[in-house]
Amino acid sequence: MAREFQRGHKAKISDLTPGTDLYVGVQISGPGLTFDISCFGLDANEQLSDDRYFIFFNQPKSPEESIQLLGAQAGDTESFRVTLDRIPANIHKLSFTATIDGAGQMSQVGPGYIRIVAGGEEVVRYAFTGSEFTTERAVMLGDFYLKDVWRFAAVGQGFDGGLDALLKNFGGEVAEEAPAAPQQAAAPSFAPPPQATAPAPSFGAPAAPQAPQVPQPAPSFGAPAAQTPAPTPQQQMHAAPTIAAPMAPMGGTVPPPAPAPAPYGQPGQPPQQPQFGQVPGQPVPAAPYGQQAPAPYGQQPPGMPQGVPQGVPQAGAGLQAALQPYKETATGQRWTPQNQQLMRVDLTMGGTPVLARQGSMVMYQGKVDFSYKGAGFAGRIVGNATGQEMQLMRCTGRGQVFLAEDGSHLHAIELQGDGICVSAESVLAFDESLQHEVRRIEGHGIPGGALFTMQFQGTGTIIVKTHGVPVVLPVTPTTFADCNAIVAWSSASQVIISSQVRLRRNAYPGHSGETVNLQFRGAPGNFIVVQPYEV
């Protein structure tokens, strides 16, 4: 059950949830008001010493992605993903703020809140109303701060000056914007961008997500002033590129000016320059239908690098260009899929060893140690009796390990205090921090002795193997799955063996081949994973 905070209340994050991968939702609204919701990553002096940690609609994530802007979802005006164990050591506080874009005061807002969700469950909520404020135009809602451990505080402190005053309070700089041209309406500072859809987080977003709303684009805070063309009503001022004047060539002839920019949202047309041997003003003859237009004399055909004599191989071709699509993918995360069949784990992140299926390592980098991981005498007895024995190796050290097996499709499933049931045969690797045990399926039996499965719980990641691309289905009272095609299901689901064998059917020489299925029951939010293959 979520804890209700009042202004000034504080608590350790570890007292609220054991997880460190958190969802932060903010709900704030008012009649005729538009809000900009941001997160400031501050140093030990509570200053914005690194503007890359000012997370807002034009900078939606920090460099290592420990703070990410997710957009409107699950009834929240704005939401964030915060991974506390990945925040760099120079960031000591995360301050979540809301500011009014345009006219208005915080006293006009209705009931709102800031909340923290972990593992799909809301753990804390600080609610506020407009009666707590007067003429303020910005408010600090809540803080994550580091004081020997990460803690959360409900703040509720307002600023009269809006976002500019808030930014200056944290030591940031507000860039001066170029004045608008005469007889043109200046674009609003926070004009909405084209429609975008924010993906729902898979790590801890609450149930019943609502239609996402469009996040607002960013002001040019902290950016150096640049000479930009005058904005139009359809173009944002701080989104216009800087246009440099062309340099005069040897001889003093200045090229003709560039054409006027195309309307917002439409591609611009390149200037038409006379080609070698062409009379200015005459159109270039078109190529026959279905054929490519010939290249001007002395130039390469379209799509080839210009300035290179014809017949010379394209730059970058050869071995390096051929191998470029298969280079290692590094995202700064602990688990990174390199393709559908290859997974990379970075042991230097998280500090937790990895348990992987014996023989699944195909390559590693760095100083990594592989050791045998035994299940113990009791574990071997249970594994042999249930068919859920896993032959594992323990991967420790500092480096990156690449895992694969038989070309199976690999899927990283991140658990935040919740659980999942997976057959031991479908598990490739998992963090040692996860607890796992054999769980019995209710019923009288399944052909082949598959009466049991493995249940994983805790905080960490498990890599699941499938034959082909799986499908995830919600659990309903009428959800059935073939016991030979099911891969995994949420641990809160109730599983019952359903047999369609009838005495009358046994009198005939054959049957449909679909005599035993698994029936799933559970509350909304439960799921099953089925692969297009029967083991």
Side-chain angles (χ1 to χ4, degrees):
M1 182 176 180
R3 293 177 56 179
E4 296 288 342
F5 273 25
Q6 302 296 325
R7 180 187 295 183
H9 281 189
K10 304 176 182 179
K12 296 180 180 179
I13 297 295
S14 57
D15 293 340
L16 302 174
T17 174
T20 58
D21 197 352
L22 308 176
Y23 171 96
V24 179
V26 175
Q27 202 284 324
I28 185 170
S29 61
L33 300 181
T34 303
F35 296 88
D36 299 310
I37 302 172
S38 312
C39 176
F40 291 84
L42 310 176
D43 59 20
N45 298 320
E46 299 190 3
Q47 296 295 299
L48 185 65
S49 55
D50 189 341
D51 57 7
R52 297 177 303 170
Y53 290 87
F54 175 32
I55 309 304
F56 59 121
F57 37 77
N58 256 12
Q59 186 166 265
K61 60 183 177 181
S62 59
E64 73 294 324
E65 300 184 357
S66 62
I67 315 166
Q68 302 178 41
L69 186 71
L70 302 180
Q73 58 183 308
D76 299 327
T77 309
E78 189 60 88
S79 61
F80 301 80
R81 181 181 186 177
V82 177
T83 311
L84 293 177
D85 54 3
R86 294 176 56 190
I87 295 177
N90 61 310
I91 302 299
H92 289 247
K93 176 181 285 191
L94 304 179
S95 182
F96 295 90
T97 67
T99 59
I100 296 178
D101 176 20
Q105 299 176 350
M106 283 294 173
S107 59
Q108 300 173 253
V109 304
Y113 60 76
I114 179 173
R115 62 174 179 167
I116 302 176
V117 177
E121 295 182 3
E122 184 177 316
V123 295
V124 67
R125 174 185 292 232
Y126 161 51
F128 56 86
T129 63
S131 60
E132 301 177 33
F133 311 105
T134 55
T135 60
E136 296 95 332
R137 290 174 39 78
V139 60
M140 291 192 302
L141 300 173
D143 291 343
F144 286 83
Y145 65 100
L146 187 61
K147 186 178 180 182
D148 63 24
V149 295
W150 281 103
R151 305 165 187 257
F152 174 74
V155 181
Q157 178 182 348
F159 285 82
D160 287 339
L163 186 58
D164 290 359
L166 194 60
L167 191 64
K168 293 178 180 178
N169 176 72
F170 290 136
E173 297 180 1
V174 181
E176 296 292 337
E177 295 187 350
Q183 299 180 355
Q184 288 186 349
S189 301
F190 301 96
Q195 296 292 330
T197 302
S202 60
F203 56 92
Q210 297 182 357
Q213 299 177 1
V214 180
Q216 303 291 325
S220 55
F221 297 126
Q227 298 296 329
T228 59
T232 64
Q234 296 82 13
Q235 185 178 13
Q236 301 178 21
M237 181 179 298
H238 46 265
T242 302
I243 301 178
M247 299 181 61
M250 300 294 294
T253 303
V254 178
Y264 182 74
Q266 300 182 10
Q269 298 293 331
Q272 297 294 331
Q273 299 289 344
Q275 301 176 359
F276 183 81
Q278 176 189 354
V279 179
Q282 290 186 356
V284 180
Y289 180 78
Q291 301 184 15
Q292 189 178 33
Y297 180 79
Q299 299 185 17
Q300 291 283 62
M304 298 292 290
Q306 302 300 319
V308 179
Q310 296 184 10
V312 177
Q314 182 178 357
L319 182 61
Q320 293 296 330
L323 298 180
Q324 181 67 26
Y326 311 105
K327 290 184 63 178
E328 175 187 5
T329 301
T331 61
Q333 300 181 3
R334 178 171 169 84
W335 295 90
T336 305
Q338 303 300 295
N339 51 53
Q340 289 184 326
Q341 293 88 22
L342 187 63
M343 184 70 63
R344 188 191 84 155
V345 56
D346 191 343
L347 298 177
T348 61
M349 301 184 61
T352 304
V354 168
L355 299 180
R357 185 178 294 274
Q358 292 181 13
S360 61
M361 185 276 293
V362 297
M363 186 186 72
Y364 72 92
Q365 303 173 118
K367 187 176 181 180
V368 181
D369 180 61
F370 301 93
S371 58
Y372 173 73
K373 174 64 175 177
F377 179 77
R380 290 197 301 269
I381 294 297
V382 173
N384 291 330
T386 62
Q388 297 298 313
E389 183 180 11
M390 293 187 293
Q391 301 292 333
L392 300 174
M393 61 181 180
R394 193 168 186 260
C395 310
T396 58
R398 298 186 63 82
Q400 298 80 37
V401 180
F402 294 77
L403 304 171
E405 187 174 74
D406 298 333
S408 299
H409 287 219
L410 304 181
H411 313 272
I413 301 177
E414 187 176 357
L415 302 181
Q416 288 292 331
D418 43 1
I420 188 171
C421 293
V422 188
S423 174
E425 183 61 29
S426 298
V427 177
L428 179 71
F430 56 94
D431 288 323
E432 194 177 39
S433 58
L434 293 176
Q435 296 89 36
H436 58 283
E437 61 180 355
V438 178
R439 178 177 175 181
R440 186 180 188 275
I441 300 176
E442 299 178 8
H444 298 291
I446 301 177
L451 292 165
F452 302 88
T453 186
M454 295 296 299
Q455 177 174 289
F456 292 82
Q457 286 184 316
T459 301
T461 300
I462 177 174
I463 307 302
V464 176
K465 304 186 303 176
T466 65
H467 293 269
V469 180
V471 62
V472 179
L473 299 173
V475 171
T476 67
T478 58
T479 300
F480 296 82
D482 191 313
C483 60
N484 295 316
I486 188 75
V487 175
W489 60 87
S490 51
S491 60
S493 302
Q494 181 185 10
V495 188
I496 302 174
I497 297 174
S498 174
S499 175
Q500 294 188 0
V501 176
R502 299 291 185 271
L503 182 62
R504 182 172 55 84
R505 295 183 182 177
N506 287 341
Y508 296 93
H511 56 79
S512 66
E514 306 293 345
T515 57
V516 178
N517 297 317
L518 297 181
Q519 180 181 9
F520 293 86
R521 300 174 182 175
N526 287 284
F527 63 89
I528 64 172
V529 182
V530 180
Q531 63 186 357
Y533 182 87
E534 294 189 8
V535 296

